Short mmCIF file of all heavy atoms in Angstrom, two decimals:
data_model
loop_
_atom_site.label_atom_id
_atom_site.label_comp_id
_atom_site.label_asym_id
_atom_site.label_seq_id
_atom_site.Cartn_x
_atom_site.Cartn_y
_atom_site.Cartn_z
N VAL A 161 78.06 -36.41 65.54
CA VAL A 161 77.29 -35.23 65.95
C VAL A 161 75.90 -35.27 65.32
O VAL A 161 74.89 -35.01 65.99
CB VAL A 161 78.04 -33.93 65.57
CG1 VAL A 161 77.18 -32.71 65.86
CG2 VAL A 161 79.36 -33.84 66.31
N VAL A 162 75.83 -35.60 64.03
CA VAL A 162 74.53 -35.66 63.34
C VAL A 162 73.64 -36.74 63.97
O VAL A 162 72.45 -36.51 64.20
CB VAL A 162 74.73 -35.90 61.83
CG1 VAL A 162 73.41 -36.25 61.15
CG2 VAL A 162 75.34 -34.67 61.18
N THR A 163 74.20 -37.89 64.23
CA THR A 163 73.42 -38.98 64.84
C THR A 163 72.82 -38.54 66.17
O THR A 163 71.64 -38.80 66.44
CB THR A 163 74.30 -40.23 65.03
OG1 THR A 163 74.82 -40.63 63.76
CG2 THR A 163 73.52 -41.38 65.63
N ALA A 164 73.60 -37.87 66.97
CA ALA A 164 73.10 -37.39 68.26
C ALA A 164 72.01 -36.33 68.06
O ALA A 164 70.98 -36.36 68.75
CB ALA A 164 74.24 -36.82 69.09
N ALA A 165 72.21 -35.43 67.11
CA ALA A 165 71.21 -34.39 66.86
C ALA A 165 69.90 -34.99 66.35
O ALA A 165 68.81 -34.55 66.73
CB ALA A 165 71.76 -33.38 65.85
N GLU A 166 70.01 -36.01 65.51
CA GLU A 166 68.81 -36.60 64.91
C GLU A 166 68.02 -37.46 65.89
O GLU A 166 66.89 -37.84 65.60
CB GLU A 166 69.17 -37.41 63.67
CG GLU A 166 69.59 -36.53 62.51
CD GLU A 166 69.95 -37.28 61.26
OE1 GLU A 166 70.30 -38.49 61.35
OE2 GLU A 166 69.90 -36.68 60.19
N GLU A 167 68.58 -37.74 67.06
CA GLU A 167 67.82 -38.47 68.07
C GLU A 167 66.65 -37.63 68.57
O GLU A 167 65.64 -38.17 69.04
CB GLU A 167 68.71 -38.86 69.24
CG GLU A 167 69.66 -40.00 68.94
CD GLU A 167 70.52 -40.37 70.13
OE1 GLU A 167 70.24 -39.91 71.26
OE2 GLU A 167 71.50 -41.12 69.92
N HIS A 168 66.78 -36.30 68.49
CA HIS A 168 65.76 -35.41 69.06
C HIS A 168 65.17 -34.46 68.03
O HIS A 168 64.31 -33.65 68.38
CB HIS A 168 66.37 -34.61 70.21
CG HIS A 168 67.02 -35.47 71.25
ND1 HIS A 168 66.30 -36.26 72.11
CD2 HIS A 168 68.32 -35.71 71.52
CE1 HIS A 168 67.14 -36.94 72.89
NE2 HIS A 168 68.37 -36.62 72.55
N GLU A 169 65.65 -34.51 66.80
CA GLU A 169 65.19 -33.61 65.75
C GLU A 169 64.87 -34.42 64.49
O GLU A 169 65.22 -35.58 64.39
CB GLU A 169 66.30 -32.59 65.40
CG GLU A 169 66.77 -31.74 66.55
CD GLU A 169 65.80 -30.65 66.96
OE1 GLU A 169 64.97 -30.25 66.12
OE2 GLU A 169 65.86 -30.22 68.11
N ALA A 170 64.25 -33.75 63.54
CA ALA A 170 63.99 -34.38 62.24
C ALA A 170 65.33 -34.64 61.56
O ALA A 170 66.33 -33.96 61.84
CB ALA A 170 63.14 -33.45 61.38
N PRO A 171 65.37 -35.62 60.65
CA PRO A 171 66.62 -35.89 59.93
C PRO A 171 67.14 -34.63 59.22
O PRO A 171 66.37 -33.85 58.67
CB PRO A 171 66.22 -36.95 58.90
CG PRO A 171 65.00 -37.60 59.47
CD PRO A 171 64.30 -36.52 60.24
#
Side-chain angles (χ1 to χ4, degrees):
V161 174
V162 168
T163 302
E166 289 180 338
E167 286 180 12
H168 306 289
E169 302 286 337

